[in-house]
């Protein structure tokens, strides 16, 4: 379910296999929190994983995490 949500929000032509393994795990954890932890506000959940992305990646990749998680949140939290 998590990978299907992520795949649907990647740019056309991109597949999960193309993502860096660490990036994929950050995104999976973020989507899990959006799905399973309704008690955590959406903005807080996304912000936490953007912060994690900053620890491993450049700002451009952290923005990518923000965009993907925001797109998933619009589907699962509406």
């Amino acid at each position: 379910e998590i990978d299907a949500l992520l795949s649907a929000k990647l740019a056309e032509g991109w597949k999960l296999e193309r993502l860096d393994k660490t990036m994929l795990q950050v995104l999976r954890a973020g989507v899990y929190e959006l799905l399973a932890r309704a008690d955590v506000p959406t903005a807080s959940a996304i912000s936490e994983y953007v912060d994690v992305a900053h620890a491993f990646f450049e700002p451009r990749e952290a923005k990518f995490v923000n965009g993907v998680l925001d797109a998933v949140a619009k589907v699962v939290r509406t």
Side-chain angles (χ1 to χ4, degrees), residues 1 4 9 12 15-16 24-25 29-30 32 34 42 50 56 59 71:
E1 179 181 8
K9 298 306 173 190
E12 187 175 330
K15 297 184 185 223
L16 292 179
L24 180 56
Q25 297 311 316
Y32 171 80
L34 291 169
T42 302
V50 170
F56 293 100

Side-chain angles (χ1 to χ4, degrees), residues 10-21 23-24:
L10 293 178
E12 187 175 330
W14 276 76
K15 297 184 185 223
L16 292 179
E17 297 80 21
R18 190 171 172 188
L19 296 176
D20 175 87
K21 298 295 184 196
M23 174 66 71
L24 180 56

Side-chain angles (χ1 to χ4, degrees), residues 5 9 34-35 38 42 69-78:
L5 287 165
K9 298 306 173 190
L34 291 169
L35 284 170
T42 302
L69 292 180
D70 183 60
V72 169
K74 288 177 181 170
V75 173
V76 301
R77 294 251 175 135
T78 56

